[in-house]
Amino acid sequence: RSAELFRWLERKRASGPTDLVGAVRAAAGSLPPSGLVVLMSDWLGGDNDAVVRLLEAAGQEVVGVQVLAPEELEPELLGAGAARLYDAETGDGPLAMSLDRSVFERYRSELGALREDLSRALTRRGGRYFAVRSDQHLSRVLLHDWRAAGFLW
């Protein structure tokens, strides 16, 4: 059945904003009293700590998988100079700005802090954190990388 799951996940496309807190609240009542929740998201722009707390309160072990695009991890891929940025999920924009080394450094610092906060929120409640690039093949991530990390046997 894992092949079926991989195919289903690989066909999914991101579209529109996601209210993780609302989604978890809606799902919490249908979860078994104890279990494992693997939550795949970019985890950007929400109350991640509340998401983890809600799942923990529902008796769930949480594996948070943060999926980011190569450009989110390496903003230099966008190129330097004048740019108009749009929010891919909401369509908000444009935000006109100049992309340069200082902007990239500040962005990296903010993203690093967010990733550390997410990892801490998960691990202090017994969960796990995995970072995944959106251009990685999902079956390799699950069958190779997660096995190497000791998450899957």
Side-chain angles (χ1 to χ4, degrees):
R1 297 215 40 153
S2 63
E4 181 182 336
L5 172 65
F6 296 155
R7 283 192 300 277
W8 180 81
L9 287 170
E10 287 176 340
R11 287 191 306 267
K12 294 299 163 194
R13 297 291 172 248
S15 63
T18 301
D19 174 12
L20 283 181
V21 173
V24 167
R25 276 196 185 113
S30 63
L31 296 171
S34 65
L36 174 69
V37 170
V38 178
L39 186 51
M40 300 176 88
S41 171
D42 64 10
W43 294 85
L44 300 176
D47 187 350
N48 298 333
D49 198 55
V51 169
V52 177
R53 278 194 322 269
L54 286 166
L55 288 168
E56 180 192 35
Q60 304 303 303
E61 179 183 347
V62 184
V63 175
V65 182
Q66 186 176 40
V67 183
L68 297 175
E71 296 82 4
E72 290 172 307
L73 295 166
E74 302 171 48
E76 294 83 0
L77 293 173
L78 297 171
R84 290 178 183 266
L85 304 178
Y86 294 84
D87 186 312
E89 294 178 358
T90 65
D92 289 348
L95 172 63
M97 64 184 310
S98 180
L99 300 177
D100 60 24
R101 191 175 53 163
S102 67
V103 170
F104 296 144
E105 287 172 3
R106 194 170 101 225
Y107 171 83
R108 278 194 204 295
S109 176
E110 292 291 324
L111 180 62
L114 184 139
R115 294 175 86 181
E116 286 176 28
D117 288 348
L118 175 58
S119 178
R120 242 188 322 275
L122 288 159
T123 57
R124 78 171 160 248
R125 291 183 176 83
R128 306 267 315 248
Y129 169 78
F130 290 100
V132 176
R133 289 173 57 112
S134 64
D135 60 350
Q136 287 179 287
H137 197 274
L138 186 58
S139 61
R140 176 176 166 71
V141 170
L142 296 177
L143 297 176
H144 179 269
D145 299 348
W146 286 13
R147 278 190 175 141
F151 180 62
L152 296 178
W153 298 267

